[in-house]
Amino acid sequence: MRSERAGFRYAGGMVIAATLLMSCGRPAARIGDTAADAAQRVYVAPGQYDEFYAFMSGGFDGQVGVYGLPSGRLLRHVPVFSQNPENGWGYTEQTKAMMNTSFGFIPWDDSHHPQLSQTDGVPDGRWLFINGNNTPRIARLDLTRFETEEILEIPNSAGNHASPFVTPDNRYVVAGTRFSVPTPQKDVPIADYRQDFAGLLTFARVDSVTGRMTIAFQIRMPGFDYDLSHAGKGPSNGWSFFTSYNSEQASALKEVNASQNDKDYIAAVNWKRAEQCVADGKGAMEPARYAHNIMGEDGIARTEWGTSVKVILPSDCPEMVYFLPTPKSPHGVDVDPTGEYIVSGGKLATVIPVHSFSKMMQAIQNKSFSGDVNGIPVLKYESVLSCEVQNPGLGPLHNEFDDKGNAYSSMFISSEIVKWRVKDCQVLDRAPVYYSIGHLMVPGGDSRKPFGKYVIALNKITKDRYLPTGPELAQSAQLFDISGDKMKLLLDFPTIGEPHYAQALPASMIKDRQQKIYTLDTNADPFATKSEKNARVVRKGTRVDVYMTAIRSHFVPDNIEGLQVGDSVFFHVTNLEQDWDVPHGFAAMGATTAELLIMPGQTRTLVWVPVRVGVYPFYCTDFCSALHQEMQGYARVSARGSSVPLAWNGPSGTLGKAKQVASSHSGHAAVTTD
Ligand code: K7E
Ligand code: CUA
């Protein structure tokens, strides 16, 4: 949300207020009843587990951070959109295809909104979806393995920010474009924005068994900036809500020009109606090239190329989209657990507007419209409003809910969380945060049944909360107890990347469903080596395939000779272990890609191109046993065209003692024992 900061400069006095609030040193925190009391509530004794898993987006690091709550302990950093040299994600031959896009190989993204899959409006712990903001994509993680299993590119989109919010039955994840663009792309003057730019809202269908996504349809909307979304639930199930700003359709200096209107809109999209129109043959298939990357059962990612997409216009399908006027330049949109209230956060608004779904339906029926935009009816603000939270603070962004009818809103400029009652907009409590909160998260707080208990502030600016670390300071999360009437600060903990949104669920929902190993017997990687006696080295021209095994505490083969400068050496390393938590690593000196971390039963491939003659070590990077340091070997690299024969060590190879038998035609070499 860094981009939004600039916008506040034009909010005049607000900025001065913000500066004052943020520069007054270290305010005394309102901690629990006493510090000891707070400490006790977040203390998870050695050997004990946290109560919740929390999933936080990595923002500019493109990944997902998994934390335990209430301790705030970082459990795992799961690579998603960004290559990760720690385990070879996006570098290995098996995972590279996950980064394919219509723009080519893109090894990073900016991830903002994790969303747990839901069943009947409640997180079910099966999958986690997350958006790639820069090159529009949605990823799906499997929560039995904490691995990314699928990445779907979203065509006709630019800045996939209003994404990937799920419907209560997990039928769809949505993707609204933050930046309108010409669709299909074409070479036009930017000044022709109004006429040529559009904002597409994408609905990707999720398979209920496999979780696989397919683009069902896209709705071509006016060229606003579609910022955030949440699905309706309960009575409002069947609708998705998208905030928009820049209803001015300004194409330059948006800081000023997109902040003119007192109200922008929430787009209320009746996706059940859209489905019906699509089934009736409305809309048109338009050409669109996009990548769909799927991790196969064999552990190898592959790309399928999409070639077209169904695009439907609001004018094709009356009663599909309505605009709800919403002050001012709204950011978040959140639907309360009952599904009746739709709450926005107007970055420049002085109130928090709460729309009523039942009033919206009534207004639609009564045609209580104040006008239209490109034929999309604009409902009268007063006829859809439930209430406005007065004086909530400055810079409202996002809202989450507890299980007692209350909402918690983040106030970016005044750096606080405000708690208020949803049904009558009464402010009940406020708690300062340190500093500049973006999203906030209650476990299950955007679902039909919030788990409650805590709210976490995800703060943008840390200033003086932690030991300083040079020009860049850690991002900060703050955990509050919300079990009583008043919020109580329990804990600060640093986070990695820049978490935007987060999700959490009780650990009991997923902890006993963890996959512990990959079964070696069913390893279907074509380069797998399932026993040491099959380890071998095969040359075909300048390509050398090393079929290697790893088990405590050695590689087979461990020594290899006969490699040549400029060869492409494919180290296919299979971890023969079948015990939980015994990965082996593999690193080769001078490798220009990454190391490998190979899970038990898995095969991973690193390509190494030796650039000069010599003898180079490779070794295991994961301390796996008392003799881990001995888990090493050498690769001898000779000059191009050298007569040193290809040979290796191992149960069947006896490098140094062996009779070398070269096969004549394929350049293939083998070693036999005496
Ligand atoms: Cu940071 Cu949801 Cu991208 Cu608000 S967003 S803070
Ligand atoms: Cu294998 Cu260390």
Side-chain angles (χ1 to χ4, degrees):
M1 141 68 262
R2 298 204 152 177
S3 52
E4 272 92 359
R5 276 184 210 150
F8 295 126
R9 248 179 259 141
Y10 283 83
M14 290 211 243
V15 163
I16 295 161
T19 312
L20 289 173
L21 278 159
M22 295 187 343
S23 59
C24 51
R26 309 197 62 197
R30 187 169 83 190
I31 316 176
D33 296 318
T34 66
D37 173 57
Q40 214 164 37
R41 288 200 227 178
V42 300
Y43 180 66
V44 178
Q48 300 298 301
Y49 294 136
D50 276 292
E51 186 184 353
F52 292 95
Y53 280 103
F55 301 91
M56 298 192 192
S57 66
F60 39 61
D61 88 0
Q63 319 289 50
V64 168
V66 184
Y67 298 78
L69 297 180
S71 73
R73 297 182 294 193
L74 175 65
L75 304 174
R76 182 136 294 284
H77 191 215
V78 183
V80 184
F81 295 108
S82 298
Q83 280 179 304
N84 187 25
E86 172 185 320
N87 63 1
W89 175 255
Y91 290 100
T92 63
E93 295 307 291
Q94 289 85 355
T95 58
K96 272 190 333 200
M98 293 305 279
M99 268 116 213
N100 283 339
T101 75
S102 62
F103 299 90
F105 179 83
I106 300 205
W108 76 280
D109 214 306
D110 174 25
S111 61
H112 287 216
H113 304 121
Q115 275 279 287
L116 288 162
S117 57
Q118 297 189 352
T119 298
D120 197 18
V122 180
D124 59 18
R126 295 210 285 169
W127 304 301
L128 184 80
F129 299 93
I130 187 161
N131 65 324
N133 199 35
N134 178 62
T135 304
R137 287 175 280 180
I138 299 174
R140 179 174 55 84
L141 280 64
D142 176 285
L143 294 184
T144 63
R145 292 183 285 116
F146 285 66
E147 280 179 10
T148 304
E149 224 174 51
E150 181 181 11
I151 296 182
L152 173 68
E153 186 180 1
I154 308 295
N156 286 328
S157 196
N160 181 37
H161 196 258
S163 178
F165 299 91
V166 302
T167 57
D169 53 359
N170 222 50
R171 188 175 176 81
Y172 292 106
V173 288
V174 303
T177 190
R178 169 145 154 241
F179 310 117
S180 283
V181 286
T183 65
Q185 275 290 3
K186 56 183 172 178
D187 176 11
V188 292
I190 297 166
D192 292 350
Y193 185 100
R194 275 171 176 276
Q195 130 199 359
D196 284 325
F197 288 43
L200 273 80
L201 306 179
T202 302
F203 285 74
R205 185 75 195 263
V206 179
D207 185 275
S208 60
V209 177
T210 63
R212 290 237 180 125
M213 299 175 279
T214 33
I215 295 175
F217 54 87
Q218 300 189 307
I219 302 174
R220 182 173 276 119
M221 297 282 288
F224 306 161
D225 294 50
Y226 297 89
D227 204 14
L228 277 153
S229 179
H230 260 104
K233 49 173 89 86
S236 54
N237 184 21
W239 293 75
S240 280
F241 302 94
F242 295 84
T243 46
S244 67
Y245 60 95
N246 193 23
S247 56
E248 298 85 351
Q249 299 194 57
S251 60
L253 299 174
K254 294 206 185 184
E255 197 175 32
V256 182
N257 295 331
S259 304
Q260 301 300 307
N261 293 346
D262 272 345
K263 295 190 178 67
D264 297 274
Y265 303 111
I266 288 173
V269 176
N270 183 337
W271 55 256
K272 286 197 173 158
R273 173 79 185 129
E275 274 182 343
Q276 204 175 39
C277 288
V278 169
D280 293 347
K282 301 286 169 51
M285 291 307 288
E286 295 186 5
R289 183 172 153 79
Y290 59 96
H292 188 187
N293 311 320
I294 299 165
M295 182 58 75
E297 295 279 329
D298 54 6
I300 301 171
R302 294 179 185 81
T303 301
E304 295 168 3
W305 291 100
T307 54
S308 62
V309 69
K310 172 73 100 177
V311 177
I312 182 166
L313 303 176
S315 56
D316 294 336
C317 185
E319 297 164 25
M320 177 176 67
V321 188
Y322 297 90
F323 281 133
L324 282 58
T326 301
K328 175 181 184 175
S329 297
H331 184 54
V333 56
D334 302 283
V335 180
D336 89 311
T338 69
E340 163 64 10
Y341 299 105
I342 303 139
V343 186
S344 183
K347 301 186 295 272
L348 305 178
T350 53
V351 298
I352 298 176
V354 179
H355 297 303
S356 150
F357 179 75
S358 51
K359 286 179 96 172
M360 180 187 104
M361 294 310 285
Q362 196 64 52
I364 290 171
Q365 208 175 9
N366 298 343
K367 298 202 172 355
S368 178
F369 304 143
S370 61
D372 74 283
V373 181
N374 300 4
I376 299 169
V378 177
L379 294 159
K380 283 193 182 134
Y381 181 64
E382 298 71 24
S383 59
V384 292
L385 189 74
S386 166
C387 53
E388 291 173 335
V389 182
Q390 300 296 325
N391 304 313
L394 298 175
L397 292 182
H398 296 284
N399 315 284
E400 288 268 289
F401 305 92
D402 66 14
D403 48 349
K404 301 182 195 111
N406 303 311
Y408 300 79
S409 300
S410 55
M411 300 291 153
F412 178 82
I413 298 178
S414 54
S415 283
E416 59 188 331
I417 297 177
V418 57
K419 172 183 176 181
W420 50 277
R421 199 158 46 216
V422 177
K423 69 171 192 297
D424 60 8
C425 288
Q426 286 309 302
V427 172
L428 303 174
D429 189 25
R430 47 180 79 240
V433 295
Y434 309 98
Y435 302 85
S436 303
I437 181 173
H439 276 271
L440 72 181
M441 183 271 286
V442 173
D446 66 343
S447 77
R448 202 168 57 75
K449 282 195 178 148
F451 304 110
K453 221 162 167 171
Y454 304 109
V455 65
I456 292 190
L458 296 159
N459 302 324
K460 300 297 181 188
I461 297 167
T462 315
K463 294 178 82 79
D464 50 11
R465 293 304 276 187
Y466 304 117
L467 287 173
T469 53
E472 188 181 11
L473 302 176
Q475 308 282 332
S476 181
Q478 292 189 291
L479 183 77
F480 292 80
D481 178 349
I482 57 167
S483 56
D485 287 344
K486 299 286 172 194
M487 293 175 271
K488 285 176 183 161
L489 177 61
L490 300 178
L491 179 72
D492 283 11
F493 60 98
T495 52
I496 42 177
E498 185 198 12
H500 289 254
Y501 196 27
Q503 298 264 276
L505 47 58
S508 57
M509 293 180 75
I510 52 179
K511 90 171 173 24
D512 298 326
R513 292 176 28 218
Q514 294 307 300
Q515 181 173 330
K516 298 184 169 71
I517 58 166
Y518 292 87
T519 312
L520 188 62
D521 283 348
T522 59
N523 179 332
D525 190 299
F527 295 97
T529 310
K530 297 189 187 179
S531 87
E532 292 185 346
K533 69 177 193 306
N534 294 329
R536 62 198 187 278
V537 183
V538 177
R539 172 183 288 282
K540 277 191 187 129
T542 58
R543 173 175 172 139
V544 179
D545 287 290
V546 180
Y547 294 80
M548 183 180 272
T549 61
I551 195 164
R552 282 163 288 182
S553 301
H554 56 273
F555 295 108
V556 178
D558 62 351
N559 288 340
I560 303 169
E561 295 195 349
L563 303 177
Q564 298 183 3
V565 169
D567 279 344
S568 293
V569 184
F570 288 70
F571 286 100
H572 309 284
V573 188
T574 300
N575 181 346
L576 299 180
E577 307 279 356
Q578 291 287 272
D579 287 336
W580 197 9
D581 199 23
V582 194
H584 289 288
F586 179 84
M589 183 174 168
T592 56
T593 52
E595 63 185 301
L596 303 175
L597 259 193
I598 312 124
M599 298 304 128
Q602 195 179 44
T603 303
R604 285 290 174 257
T605 300
L606 176 150
V607 182
W608 181 60
V609 181
V611 294
R612 49 184 194 253
V613 298
V615 180
Y616 301 99
F618 53 82
Y619 69 104
C620 172
T621 49
D622 189 316
F623 207 108
C624 50
S625 72
L627 296 175
H628 153 83
Q629 291 297 81
E630 282 72 11
M631 198 164 172
Q632 58 175 282
Y634 287 106
R636 176 180 168 192
V637 177
S638 305
R640 180 99 250 133
S642 153
S643 61
V644 175
L646 194 66
W648 65 90
N649 239 355
S652 63
T654 51
L655 177 63
K657 286 181 272 170
K659 213 176 0 183
Q660 314 288 341
V661 183
S663 95
S664 50
H665 49 275
S666 64
H668 202 139
V671 176
T672 55
T673 46
D674 281 319

